[in-house]
Amino acid sequence: MKPTRVLHMHFGLDGGAERFFVNLAQALDQAGVEQRFIIRPGRIWKAGIESSGEIIENHFRRLSISGQLLPNRVRRLARQWKPTAMMSWMPRASRLMPEYPDAIRLARLGDYPSHLRHFRHVDILVANAPGIAQHCRELGWTKPLIVISNFVRNVEVQPVPRATYDTPRDAFIVGASGRLVQRKGFDAILRAVAAMPDAWIWIAGTGARERDLRQLAENLGMTRRTKFLGWLNEPAHAMASTDVYLMASRNEPLGNVVLEAWHAGVPVISSRSQGPLWFTTNGKDALLVDIDSVEQMTEALLRLRSNPDLAARLINGGRKTLRTRFSRDSIVQQYLSVFRGNTEHHESLGS
């Protein structure tokens, strides 16, 4: 049988989308898929894919000589290596997709594209949530389009000692994670936790807003109780040491961090952004609050702190949703099927 070979093109930064990229690459490697990667230089997560295939590092900038030469390099690679599939991650990478009739060309979308111009050489769009798929249809996409969502890495969670981050053993800790950017709502999380004088917060991730968030924590008198953990290869270990996980995104197409919190065995509070509204059930596997409602976030935190039975119910509900709707094996098999050209019977906007 012809080997399954996948060429990935990914020019993302350091966040949840990149974490899932690493998860999928590792899972495909374990499934026997041969892979090669084109990524930005200096990525924190590069080590996670190094054992899965050869890596080409390039910013793919039009004004750089290496960026201008990259399309020819990719065309030569396709002719010589003969991939089964070529997969771009996010719209910009799709511009690099070469004409190569022997491979299926797919673009994986974890956010809402503003237009379809980048995808003219793409055969199929793969959205990780039905809202993105519906949006692409509304933009005029007529080729095959499917929903294949995310999964979390099946690691055995080892809660880190609270002393690792200079936190009292008996503190009530709120966990949060993701790229430190405006739309993720970390400022709202800080304000919500600030209303609880004895609560601490652990924030895992990096991003452009870190300096602003540190300043906000200082302004709120929260410097001592706020711990910035930086990029963590396995955030579940840190999140497992917290009492509740709070996701406050103002715009969240999926919400992979919620899946990670469920895997860590932590009760979840989430904003009513697009992705969580699709896969969570209020009171069953999460508590949902209005976007930017600091008051509702604080109320939900206080409710979980005072009601251990509710917290346990949300933990069990989250694990069940993770197991039934975001199965690693099922998602990997769906990707393998698409790589082999089986797209017609997969046409779906999810449920």
Side-chain angles (χ1 to χ4, degrees), residues 145-156:
L145 186 154
I146 63 176
V147 174
I148 305 178
S149 202
N150 291 11
F151 62 87
V152 296
R153 202 174 313 169
N154 188 25
V155 298
E156 183 178 348

Side-chain angles (χ1 to χ4, degrees), residues 82-349:
K82 297 179 172 52
T84 308
M86 293 185 286
M87 185 174 180
S88 62
W89 292 70
M90 296 179 288
R92 177 173 171 266
S94 301
R95 302 204 317 262
L96 189 57
M97 195 76 71
E99 290 282 0
Y100 183 72
D102 294 334
I104 187 166
R105 299 169 299 177
L106 57 147
R108 188 266 187 188
L109 297 177
D111 207 340
Y112 294 78
S114 57
H115 56 77
L116 302 175
R117 293 192 296 273
H118 292 313
F119 308 122
R120 61 182 180 275
H121 296 310
V122 170
D123 302 314
I124 178 172
L125 294 182
V126 178
N128 72 352
I132 299 172
Q134 185 61 45
H135 174 74
C136 291
R137 284 292 186 222
E138 292 169 356
L139 287 176
W141 183 260
T142 58
K143 296 179 184 179
L145 186 154
I146 63 176
V147 174
I148 305 178
S149 202
N150 291 11
F151 62 87
V152 296
R153 202 174 313 169
N154 188 25
V155 298
E156 183 178 348
V157 177
Q158 303 285 343
V160 302
R162 293 184 167 196
T164 303
Y165 298 112
D166 193 25
T167 303
R169 182 182 302 177
D170 59 349
F172 181 80
I173 306 176
V174 179
S177 59
R179 251 184 330 124
L180 306 185
V181 294
Q182 176 66 20
R183 78 176 198 172
K184 297 296 185 178
F186 288 101
D187 54 322
I189 296 176
L190 282 170
R191 296 181 190 281
V193 178
M196 303 170 63
D198 56 345
W200 293 58
I201 179 170
W202 287 5
I203 301 176
T206 60
R209 294 274 296 175
E210 181 171 344
R211 180 179 296 181
D212 293 339
L213 291 171
R214 287 182 180 273
Q215 183 62 56
L216 177 60
E218 181 178 343
N219 295 344
L220 293 170
M222 291 260 312
T223 299
R224 175 172 170 268
R225 296 188 285 129
T226 302
K227 303 300 178 181
F228 289 88
L229 313 188
W231 171 271
L232 300 177
N233 288 328
E234 294 293 353
H237 301 318
M239 292 304 107
S241 295
T242 66
D243 295 287
V244 61
Y245 184 87
L246 177 52
M247 199 278 285
S249 291
R250 298 173 171 108
N251 175 14
E252 192 61 62
L254 179 65
N256 203 65
V257 293
V258 172
L259 310 185
E260 292 174 345
W262 282 343
H263 179 66
V266 181
V268 169
I269 300 170
S270 171
S271 63
R272 289 187 170 90
S273 46
Q274 306 97 312
L277 280 177
W278 166 50
F279 66 83
T280 63
T281 301
N282 189 33
K284 181 178 179 181
D285 49 28
L287 294 183
L288 299 181
V289 297
D290 291 342
I291 293 172
D292 274 333
S293 178
V294 172
E295 181 179 355
Q296 288 185 23
M297 292 178 200
T298 302
E299 289 175 353
L301 290 170
L302 291 168
R303 185 181 173 193
L304 282 173
R305 186 173 65 174
S306 64
N307 192 336
D309 290 340
L310 173 60
R313 186 164 71 247
L314 295 183
I315 290 171
N316 291 332
R319 284 174 169 161
K320 182 178 180 180
T321 303
L322 186 65
R323 182 175 63 253
T324 58
R325 299 188 64 176
F326 301 94
S327 160
R328 174 186 183 274
D329 291 344
S330 173
I331 290 168
V332 169
Q333 287 303 315
Q334 290 177 66
Y335 271 110
L336 291 174
S337 182
V338 174
F339 294 156
R340 292 162 185 156
N342 301 323
T343 60
E344 293 182 3
H345 67 282
H346 286 288
E347 177 75 18
S348 171
L349 295 184

